[in-house]
Amino acid sequence: APAPTRTLAPADRWRLVLGRSAERLPSGAARLATALDVRFGAGRGEGSGGGLLGHGGSGAGGGREPSFPGVRELSEELAALFGPGVREEVLAAAAGTGRQDVLAELDPAAATPSVELLRTILQYAGGLPEARLAALRPLVRRLVDELTRQLATLLRPALTGTTTARPTRRPGGRLELPRTLHANLATSRRTADGTVQVIPEKPVFRSRSRRSADWRLILVTDVSGSMEASTIWSALTASVLAGVPTLSTHFLAFSTEVVDLTGHVRDPLSLLLEVSVGGGTHIAAGLRHARGLIEVPSRTLVVVISDFEEGAPLAGLLAEVRALVNTGCHVLGCASLDDAGRPRYSTGVAGQLVAAGMPVAALSPLELARWIGEKTA
């Protein structure tokens, strides 16, 4: 059907733009008014009577009556007015605020990846039968793949120590020009025209070489009910780190119980679908399990990601931290981050963990990667 805006009078167009006098709009324009409210209404003026994809209100901002009968109709109207890109943006934003009924309308190829959207889908998918879950898998797969790709692009330059440049007479990879010049200064000579010529008798090439013993990284991740956003970031980060040749990455998820999900760590979608968020918090149990995985303490990194709201007696947690530190492994506590990237954790417990020998910091995935890169360099 042709878009109704083509037949609107100039005065009605201005009423739509300003969000005023909705009762004077022709019947066909009322739905356009609601779509405009959904796209642009925020706090004042048009759309102030309701939230994103919400019902019209009676506030001073010009609420719309009646609201759309359903998400499908709204999706069609948004596409007609603004195009599919904006439609996906609005529907994804609505899903990110908890509107699960819009998920079926999202186009996997067009939805903008975000942790908020992924979290909503995973929460929603937890109670679905397999037939309905299968319909969401393409969307979840694309979100996870794209978020992992973006994170890998960010993290990998920070993970030093995975390649080693060494001098050799046989090409083993890309030529390291600065090191080649430095290693062959003794063979340099000045030509007749005054230029300096270097004879590279010892070229230096960059070649991959494995360490004499791999490093073991054990991510101990809090999946209690308060850790949803950090849990997603932890799983994505683990999958990126699992691709580093010199790291053997383990992923332990804990609430009141500990589940070893290392077998899924190279597939972030599988890992996220296996994580069961909720329950209480028993950090000591997660650390105890991690201690059992240590083989070479000096080449083991144990990273705890939690809000440190320990549900078990604190003395047990402190004892486990001291036991880990005494093995000689490298330990780090990462405070959980909320949706805005702000640290959210118990500073009192964190202070006692620091006193027991575990440094605690609020690190982004990039900062964590840098810490790992520095330790393994």
Side-chain angles (χ1 to χ4, degrees):
T5 50
R6 297 176 182 172
T7 60
L8 285 178
D12 291 328
R13 292 174 182 266
W14 276 110
R15 292 187 181 102
L16 287 173
V17 170
L18 298 175
R20 304 295 177 83
S21 305
E23 70 282 353
R24 298 176 61 182
L25 289 170
S27 58
R31 297 178 64 172
L32 301 184
T34 303
L36 285 166
D37 283 359
V38 169
R39 177 65 180 91
F40 297 108
R44 295 184 181 181
E46 66 275 12
S48 62
L52 188 64
L53 293 193
H55 299 289
S58 56
R64 306 303 182 202
E65 299 290 350
S67 62
F68 275 126
V71 174
R72 182 177 299 276
E73 291 82 357
L74 177 57
S75 173
E76 294 171 353
E77 203 66 52
L78 286 169
L81 273 175
F82 308 113
V86 170
R87 175 191 63 189
E88 298 304 324
E89 172 191 333
V90 174
L91 294 179
T97 61
R99 283 294 303 270
Q100 298 176 346
D101 54 343
V102 307
L103 296 177
E105 291 296 317
L106 284 172
D107 179 3
T112 301
S114 73
V115 170
E116 293 75 18
L117 176 57
L118 180 58
R119 181 178 61 178
T120 298
I121 296 173
L122 292 173
Q123 289 173 334
Y124 177 61
L128 290 180
E130 182 59 35
R132 294 186 62 187
L133 180 61
L136 286 175
R137 281 184 183 273
L139 175 59
V140 178
R141 168 62 71 184
R142 178 179 177 270
L143 294 179
V144 169
D145 287 350
E146 181 60 22
L147 288 171
T148 305
R149 185 193 66 78
Q150 293 174 7
L151 188 61
T153 301
L154 185 69
L155 298 191
R156 280 175 182 152
L159 295 165
T160 59
T162 59
T163 59
T164 303
R166 63 174 183 238
T168 175
R169 292 185 180 275
R170 294 183 301 172
R174 182 168 55 86
L175 180 69
E176 283 284 302
L177 183 59
R179 294 192 182 192
T180 297
L181 291 175
H182 186 270
N184 293 273
L185 290 177
T187 65
S188 62
R189 65 184 183 185
R190 189 175 297 276
T191 61
D193 60 0
T195 60
V196 176
Q197 188 177 63
V198 176
I199 308 299
E201 293 181 353
K202 298 178 181 179
V204 179
F205 297 94
R206 178 174 292 275
S207 60
R208 292 191 175 275
S209 62
R210 296 184 65 84
R211 303 296 189 189
S212 57
D214 284 340
W215 282 82
R216 174 165 291 190
L217 170 64
I218 307 172
L219 289 174
V220 187
T221 303
D222 189 342
V223 296
S224 61
S226 58
M227 289 290 298
E228 293 164 350
S230 284
T231 300
I232 290 176
W233 279 121
S234 299
L236 298 180
T237 302
S239 293
V240 173
L241 297 175
V244 177
T246 57
L247 281 179
S248 173
T249 301
H250 297 254
F251 189 92
L252 305 181
F254 73 89
S255 52
T256 50
E257 298 181 352
V258 182
V259 180
D260 191 334
L261 298 175
T262 302
H264 300 277
V265 77
R266 290 185 176 273
D267 182 354
L269 175 59
S270 175
L271 182 57
L272 283 167
L273 291 177
E274 288 295 326
V275 171
S276 179
V277 175
T281 307
H282 194 182
I283 308 172
L287 295 182
R288 190 177 306 117
H289 193 115
R291 192 152 50 91
L293 296 175
I294 297 174
E295 294 181 355
V296 183
S298 62
R299 304 187 73 82
T300 301
L301 310 172
V302 178
V303 179
V304 185
I305 302 172
S306 176
D307 57 11
F308 302 112
E309 297 283 357
E310 177 68 304
L314 190 57
L317 171 58
L318 297 177
E320 283 298 329
V321 170
R322 294 188 188 100
L324 268 177
V325 172
N326 289 337
T327 66
C329 70
H330 308 268
V331 296
L332 177 67
C334 283
S336 65
L337 304 177
D338 63 16
D339 293 347
R342 296 182 294 264
R344 180 175 51 80
Y345 65 104
S346 171
T347 55
V349 174
Q352 295 188 60
L353 294 176
V354 172
M358 174 188 284
V360 176
L363 302 181
S364 67
L366 176 58
E367 291 166 331
L368 174 59
R370 285 174 178 158
W371 180 83
I372 294 171
E374 290 169 1
K375 292 294 183 181
T376 59

